Amino acid sequence: MPDIKLRNQPFDLAFHPTESVIFSSLLTGEVKAWRYDDDDGSTSSSWSVRPSKRTARALAVEESGKNIWMGGKSGTLFQMTTEMGTIVREQDKAHDVPINRVFCVNENLVASGDDDGIIKFWDPRKPDPIREYNQHFDYISDFTYFEDKRQLVSTSGDGHLSVIDIRSNKNQPLTVSADQEDELLSIVQVKGGQKAIVGSGLGILSIWNRKLGWGDSVDRIPGHPASIDAIVSLTPDIIATGSEDGMIRVLQVLPHKFLGVIASHEEYPIERIKLDRNSKWLGSVSHDECLKLTDVSDLFEDSDGEGEGEGEEEDDEEMEQDENEEEDENENEEVDEEADPDSDSDEDMEVEVEKNKKKKKKGKGGLGDLGRGGQEQETTDFFADL
């Protein structure tokens, strides 16, 4: 498990969208870049710049990979090249207070959020912000963007989630959620963008269904012993969470299942986690002055293999069950027509019913049980009618 030891505390990290390069922002105001090997994760230093003497909190790489944006405690927004770290733009006093999060929506739109809850939109071709939003009253913790509806969703420490339509020229959000009575610290898309998962200060994951609107969450997943400061999607159904207790956990959502702990920064809180372009290396930064790369490709291979095997077994079991039901139906019809009223046919039929039930219970296990209730009910009703 490759680790990059740092001399100061890192606050954010970002992967290059097309190259094997990882970036990190530090307490000292520095931004560093490393190249890493796609196979073994070995790293080598690429460049280091210090655009500000105050803390560099947030990083975001443009979709093209040409430039990287940095915001921090000084309130200044910097645009640098990803190749050498050359500063190409310095937006002095972009915010009156420290910038906590930066997000590149597309090549012509960058969003920044500060400690007072102010969100600003920037066009790299223009010197001033093009729009400003003030629906939040506490720090902006995270962003995610839904391309299909052109909606930018933000989470905040004030306990609210807000949605902005980037096509609108109004300085008003599309909607603001109800107060969740907890700090909302992180957000990620799941189920192909149909739903979103939000991490909170109390260690609860809330599920939001886009079809039902952004007014309130539809479900909650408790279990984390501390705040969930970072989330990343590994697959459409599996997420990794970075918590204040230093653990990186993997969970399956809908149905919910805890899959295990894949990395740890000991007892140091995790600031951010990101997944590289090949979905192989999971990067994480913590207060332990370390940037950790964790190989998660084996996790995908194991889950895919298990899924394929389970699917084939389930298909075979369903075919066997259907054949057993047909045989039982034919036998029962013969019993009704030929058997003597005083015979033991009723007892035999009950024995067969119990056997079929046992076969069905043995056929599937684990999550498969969730889809068997309807089939068992139909079979029971069939024999009850006889």
Side-chain angles (χ1 to χ4, degrees), residues 98-241:
I99 298 172
N100 197 56
R101 195 63 61 217
V102 179
F103 187 84
C104 291
V105 180
N106 53 49
E107 60 181 0
N108 296 321
L109 185 62
V110 177
S112 58
D114 65 25
D115 280 359
D116 284 347
I118 302 298
I119 298 173
K120 292 186 179 182
F121 281 179
W122 305 86
D123 187 333
R125 301 165 296 183
K126 299 179 180 180
D128 299 319
I130 56 177
R131 283 196 295 282
E132 181 177 324
Y133 301 86
N134 59 3
Q135 64 267 22
H136 295 290
F137 57 85
D138 206 344
Y139 65 93
I140 301 300
S141 58
D142 208 357
F143 290 109
T144 189
Y145 178 62
F146 292 91
E147 177 69 31
D148 57 344
K149 296 292 185 180
R150 306 292 193 273
Q151 293 176 351
L152 180 69
V153 181
S154 61
T155 54
S156 171
D158 62 11
H160 295 85
L161 175 151
S162 67
V163 183
I164 299 173
D165 188 339
I166 67 170
R167 297 169 295 185
S168 174
N169 292 322
K170 298 179 180 179
N171 290 346
Q172 296 293 329
L174 191 64
T175 182
V176 178
S177 74
D179 187 359
Q180 301 300 298
E181 300 180 355
D182 190 8
E183 293 178 310
L184 303 185
L185 305 177
S186 49
I187 184 171
V188 71
Q189 302 178 32
V190 294
K191 300 294 183 181
Q194 297 178 12
K195 294 177 174 62
I197 304 290
V198 175
S200 71
L202 294 178
I204 296 175
L205 291 168
S206 57
I207 300 178
W208 301 70
N209 190 333
R210 293 180 63 196
K211 293 182 179 180
L212 301 179
W214 295 99
D216 205 349
S217 61
V218 297
D219 196 6
R220 292 190 173 191
I221 309 174
H224 285 73
S227 63
I228 305 169
D229 300 306
I231 310 178
V232 69
S233 176
L234 302 181
T235 73
D237 306 310
I238 299 175
I239 62 172
T241 63

Side-chain angles (χ1 to χ4, degrees), residues 5-25:
K5 299 297 183 181
L6 305 171
R7 294 183 179 180
N8 295 281
Q9 178 185 331
F11 277 82
D12 201 358
L13 81 156
F15 283 98
H16 196 285
T18 59
E19 300 178 15
S20 301
V21 181
I22 186 172
F23 310 90
S24 183
S25 58

Side-chain angles (χ1 to χ4, degrees), residues 6 8 38 44 52 57 63 72 95 101 113 142 147 171 200 270 278 292 294 318 329 343 361:
L6 305 171
N8 295 281
D38 285 329
S44 60
S52 173
R57 290 188 182 178
E63 195 174 29
H95 287 258
R101 195 63 61 217
D142 208 357
E147 177 69 31
N171 290 346
S200 71
I270 293 173
N278 296 323
K292 188 184 294 289
T294 304
E318 288 177 0
E329 182 178 351
S343 68
K361 288 180 181 179

